[in-house]
Amino acid sequence: TTTDAQRKHPAFVLAPQLPPGQQWGTPASDALAPFAEVVLEMVTVLSREFAIDADRIYLTGQSLGGRGTWDIISKRPDLFAAAVPLCGDGNVSRIPAARRMSVWAFHGARDEVIRVTASQQMVTALRAAGSPIKYTEYPDVGHNVWTRAYVEPELAGWLFNQRRGAIR
């Protein structure tokens, strides 16, 4: 259960919300989106204030957050131990930069907001670059993929087993 996972893997969770009309990711640009920069600065500040293991910082997001996850790991691949993008899209030419990061991507095959081909293309690009990326596609799920992905029995254990610089 979720409570068991929380007991087994105590964590500090930062869950910023995006203001309306803004983006977490800018796949066509070399720069990070302004709010992504703010989040990375928040992580830096919190890491100074709390006992946060810099080698065990993880990134996840769904939809716009999935786009932001792909975008951030493609532009700052050395900052995170692992990433879990859900139904996001990104820049396939830039994502090979994250080939040495642990990634588990999720998408619903029936997603009509962000087509499943978006994740498939990102996964294909990472695999072509030598990444052992994990990918789960739910054939009976639409855009609400988080309802299945975040309760995936192996996800918490897999995520908390990841360390920056060591694909597991």
Side-chain angles (χ1 to χ4, degrees):
T1 67
T2 302
T3 305
D4 292 336
Q6 290 169 338
R7 266 190 287 250
K8 187 175 180 181
H9 307 289
F12 187 93
V13 177
L14 174 64
Q17 299 299 303
L18 189 64
Q22 299 298 316
Q23 296 280 326
W24 287 119
T26 54
S29 169
D30 287 338
L32 286 174
F35 285 95
E37 289 280 8
V38 169
V39 169
L40 294 183
E41 181 60 26
M42 290 169 65
V43 170
T44 300
V45 169
L46 290 169
S47 293
R48 287 186 202 129
E49 187 172 338
F50 298 96
I52 296 173
D53 184 347
D55 291 328
R56 295 183 64 206
I57 297 176
Y58 312 112
L59 181 65
T60 187
Q62 191 269 331
S63 195
L64 283 176
R67 172 183 286 170
T69 299
W70 285 120
D71 196 57
I72 292 168
I73 67 170
S74 72
K75 295 173 182 173
R76 301 290 197 298
D78 297 329
L79 294 181
F80 298 92
V84 182
L86 281 66
C87 60
D89 58 5
N91 186 322
V92 294
S93 66
R94 185 177 286 114
I95 198 59
R99 69 188 168 277
R100 291 185 182 92
M101 175 185 288
S102 296
V103 177
W104 189 347
F106 293 85
H107 213 115
R110 294 185 178 177
D111 193 332
E112 294 184 14
V113 177
I114 307 289
R115 299 285 182 197
V116 70
T117 54
S119 285
Q120 291 169 345
Q121 291 169 350
M122 297 299 280
V123 169
T124 298
L126 268 177
R127 285 186 177 149
S131 169
I133 182 173
K134 292 175 64 94
Y135 178 60
T136 300
E137 185 175 303
Y138 300 111
D140 58 339
V141 175
H143 195 58
N144 61 333
V145 73
W146 66 89
T147 62
R148 294 271 297 275
Y150 286 137
V151 296
E152 188 69 43
E154 296 176 23
L155 181 61
W158 174 86
L159 187 64
F160 286 103
N161 191 42
Q162 306 308 313
R163 303 287 186 276
R164 184 172 53 171
I167 296 176
R168 298 171 188 224

